[in-house]
Amino acid sequence: MSISALDDPHSKSVPEPVRDRGRLVRVVVPLAVMYNGVLAIVNAHMMPLGFSHVALVEISLLFISLPCLLYRGLSQESLPIVTLVGFFALVMLYTSAANGMLFVDFFRNVLIIAVFCQLGMMTDGRSLAFVFRICCGFILSVLLVEIFFTRIYEDLFYPALYFTNTRGLEQVAFGGRRSFRMQSTSRAASPSG
C-alpha cells in the first residue's frame, strides 16, 4: 500500500466493508486524545475526581473499541498484534502470581496500543487523515494556549490539582501557580541554595 492510496477514496487498499468503520475511529480516537483535558476541566471547576474516574473513562473507550473490533473480525494481518497481546497477558499473569498482587497497568498500556493500532489498520485513509487533523488541531491549540496564555491554561485545566487528585502525586510548592514548577538540577544540587 502506498501513501498516495490513503487519500484515494476508490483505493482497494482497505476492503469496502471496512470503510464504514471510520465512524468509530472518528469518535473514539479524538475522545481518547481529549479525555484527560476534559477531566481536568471537570476536576478544576465542577467536582474533584479520582483515579477511578480516569480508569472508568479509559476502560469505557477500550470496551467501546474492543467489541467492535472483535465483532468485525480480525484479519490475518492482525495476528502479530493478537499474539503480542496474548504474550503480554501471560507475562502479566506470571508477574502477578510471582509477586502476589495484580499488575493491570502494564497490560492496560499494551491493550491500548494494540486496540488503537488495530483500529487504524481497519480504517480507511480518509478517516485516518480526518482524525489526524482533528487531534493535531486540538493538541496544537491547547499547546499554544499553554505557551502564550499560561494563566488561562492554568485556570482552565489546573493540571497540578488534576495530577494530585487522579495520580496521587503530591503537590510541591508551586509558588502560587496551578501548573508544574520546573526546577533546575544544578540549582537543586547547589549548596548555596
Side-chain angles (χ1 to χ4, degrees), residues 170-177 179-181:
E170 288 186 35
Q171 286 191 18
V172 294
F174 290 105
R177 306 283 308 258
S179 61
F180 304 102
R181 180 179 67 158

Side-chain angles (χ1 to χ4, degrees), residues 137-150 153:
F138 174 76
I139 292 168
L140 180 63
S141 62
V142 171
L143 181 62
L144 291 173
V145 170
E146 182 180 4
I147 292 170
F148 296 110
F149 306 102
T150 306
Y153 172 81

Side-chain angles (χ1 to χ4, degrees), residues 144-184:
L144 291 173
V145 170
E146 182 180 4
I147 292 170
F148 296 110
F149 306 102
T150 306
R151 183 56 77 192
I152 293 171
Y153 172 81
E154 289 174 343
D155 290 340
L156 182 62
F157 294 105
Y158 201 160
L161 181 65
Y162 179 66
F163 275 92
T164 298
N165 289 351
T166 61
R167 306 305 195 274
L169 301 175
E170 288 186 35
Q171 286 191 18
V172 294
F174 290 105
R177 306 283 308 258
R178 292 180 171 207
S179 61
F180 304 102
R181 180 179 67 158
M182 301 299 287
Q183 182 174 353
S184 168

Side-chain angles (χ1 to χ4, degrees), residues 5 8 15 35 43 64-65 68 73 80 82 96 100 103 113 124 142 146 152-153 164 180 184-185 188 193:
D8 183 11
Y35 82 91
N43 185 66
I64 288 169
S65 305
C68 289
V82 172
S96 297
F103 287 99
I113 293 167
D124 64 293
V142 171
E146 182 180 4
I152 293 171
Y153 172 81
T164 298
F180 304 102
S184 168
T185 54

Side-chain angles (χ1 to χ4, degrees), residues 26-129:
R26 287 174 184 243
V27 173
V28 172
V29 173
L31 287 175
V33 169
M34 298 177 195
Y35 82 91
N36 268 313
V38 172
L39 291 179
I41 292 170
V42 169
N43 185 66
H45 302 288
M46 295 179 200
M47 62 182 261
L49 299 176
F51 176 76
S52 59
H53 297 98
V54 176
L56 180 65
V57 171
E58 287 180 358
I59 290 169
S60 298
L61 289 169
L62 282 175
F63 281 120
I64 288 169
S65 305
L66 198 54
C68 289
L69 288 175
L70 295 176
Y71 174 75
R72 305 273 182 168
L74 299 174
S75 66
Q76 187 73 13
E77 293 174 341
S78 62
L79 185 60
I81 294 174
V82 172
T83 304
L84 186 67
V85 169
F87 171 74
F88 281 120
L90 291 174
V91 170
M92 178 200 65
L93 292 173
Y94 175 76
T95 306
S96 297
N99 290 300
M101 62 186 311
L102 191 60
F103 287 99
V104 179
D105 193 49
F106 164 74
F107 185 68
R108 176 195 63 105
N109 292 337
V110 169
L111 193 59
I112 288 170
I113 293 167
V115 165
F116 283 96
C117 282
Q118 191 62 34
L119 276 175
M121 287 175 56
M122 297 177 78
T123 304
D124 64 293
R126 281 190 163 186
S127 294
L128 288 176

